[in-house]
Amino acid sequence: MQEAHTVTAALPTLSTVKNLPEFFPALGLTHAAIQGQIFKADDRINSRGETIPGNGLAATGAIIRRGRKVLIDVQKYGAWLAGSGA
């Protein structure tokens, strides 16, 4: 009989946008503030066709989208916060 091989790779700690402030209580983050950070994560185009630069959160890979569900990798988000000064 074959034994099941265990996966030794560390799985990331994921959180929903709603629960993410619990991981950073000292920052006073709100659900709405995190949604704003996610909205501004990528470069976007304004009504005049000019590019508005993103805040860099998307480049970290912290945002994971599965259909309508948005999950955040807590360690990558924390590193982005520490690096961005936000």
Side-chain angles (χ1 to χ4, degrees), residues 20-35:
L20 189 61
E22 296 173 10
F23 289 94
F24 305 97
L27 297 179
L29 291 171
T30 64
H31 176 252
I34 295 167
Q35 283 182 325

Side-chain angles (χ1 to χ4, degrees), residues 43-78:
D43 292 350
R44 53 203 186 280
I45 307 296
N46 68 12
S47 61
R48 294 181 299 246
E50 303 165 341
T51 300
I52 302 170
N55 60 20
L57 181 57
T60 65
I63 303 170
I64 301 165
R65 289 185 167 96
R66 294 289 178 251
R68 290 182 50 175
K69 182 64 114 180
V70 177
L71 298 172
I72 305 294
D73 184 322
V74 176
Q75 284 78 25
K76 290 180 181 179
Y77 181 79

